[in-house]
Amino acid sequence: IVHLAWQDIPDYSKQKSELNLDLSKKLFNFLFEKTKCKKVIVAGTCWEYEKKYGICKEDDNLNTSSHFARAKFSLYQYLKNSCENLGIDLFWFRLFFVFGERQKQTSLIPYCYNSIKNNKKPSINKPENSYDFIHVNDVAKILLLAIEKDFSSGVYNIGNGFSTSVKKIISIIEKEIT
């Protein structure tokens, strides 16, 4: 089972986060009852981490103060317990900042691209902020490997492992367009 769904992003409200948690649990309860699943792969989030600077490691402290992070972590705890009891391998992939084709136009990279393409300066509050960006095609390759290969259950960070500033992203887009 590969579970990547989370309804109504970027609405990270308590109501939406709890709804997604509830729907996910219901889905897994149904699938665990009706299938002989041996492997579960789920998209967590880098928002689960307490650390906001530097490299995040899978065993770092978590911060579940946001509704979204709390719901994701609650789903992880629920699945970890369920999968252990059922003898199912669980792979919890904490995705970092995924970008790529068909991304919503209000996301950082499409927004900056469209602004620059239309000869407008992107309005960015903190251009010095840096994030670990990973292309959706790379995430898809990792998911495929996780489906096809055998490796240890656990939590895995899915990113490039290095950060890029928003200012650098804008510079790359400017060079690409001109």
Side-chain angles (χ1 to χ4, degrees), residues 41-117:
I41 301 166
V42 183
T45 175
C46 62
W47 289 25
E48 293 172 64
Y49 287 110
E50 180 178 89
K51 186 184 276 187
K52 299 296 179 200
Y53 304 98
I55 295 171
C56 291
K57 296 181 180 153
E58 288 83 353
D59 60 354
D60 280 348
N61 291 333
L62 301 179
N63 178 4
T64 56
S65 62
S66 78
H67 302 299
F68 178 59
R70 185 171 34 263
K72 284 286 192 175
F73 185 66
S74 293
L75 180 59
Y76 168 71
Q77 289 176 309
Y78 170 78
L79 288 173
K80 184 174 187 233
N81 189 36
S82 297
C83 289
E84 283 176 2
N85 290 337
L86 295 167
I88 297 172
D89 290 329
L90 172 62
F91 301 90
W92 187 262
F93 288 164
R94 289 193 179 125
L95 302 177
F96 281 71
F97 293 85
V98 181
F99 73 96
E101 297 80 16
R102 299 180 190 233
Q103 187 173 13
K104 63 184 186 316
Q105 295 301 299
T106 55
S107 292
L108 177 68
I109 293 174
Y111 165 73
C112 290
Y113 179 85
N114 289 328
S115 294
I116 294 166
K117 188 176 177 185

Side-chain angles (χ1 to χ4, degrees), residues 5 11-12 31 46 54 60 69 80-81 86 100 113 117 124 127 133 141-142 148 162:
D11 183 344
Y12 301 112
L31 293 170
C46 62
D60 280 348
K80 184 174 187 233
N81 189 36
L86 295 167
Y113 179 85
K117 188 176 177 185
I124 304 294
F133 294 97
K141 289 175 189 172
I142 292 166
E148 294 176 341
F162 60 91

Side-chain angles (χ1 to χ4, degrees), residues 5-7 15 25 36-37 42 49 66 72 97 101 108 118 121 143 146 151 162 174:
W6 203 260
Q7 182 177 312
Q15 179 184 4
K25 284 181 174 181
K36 294 180 181 182
C37 170
V42 183
Y49 287 110
S66 78
K72 284 286 192 175
F97 293 85
E101 297 80 16
L108 177 68
N118 292 315
K121 183 178 178 178
L143 290 169
F151 58 102
F162 60 91
E174 288 171 339

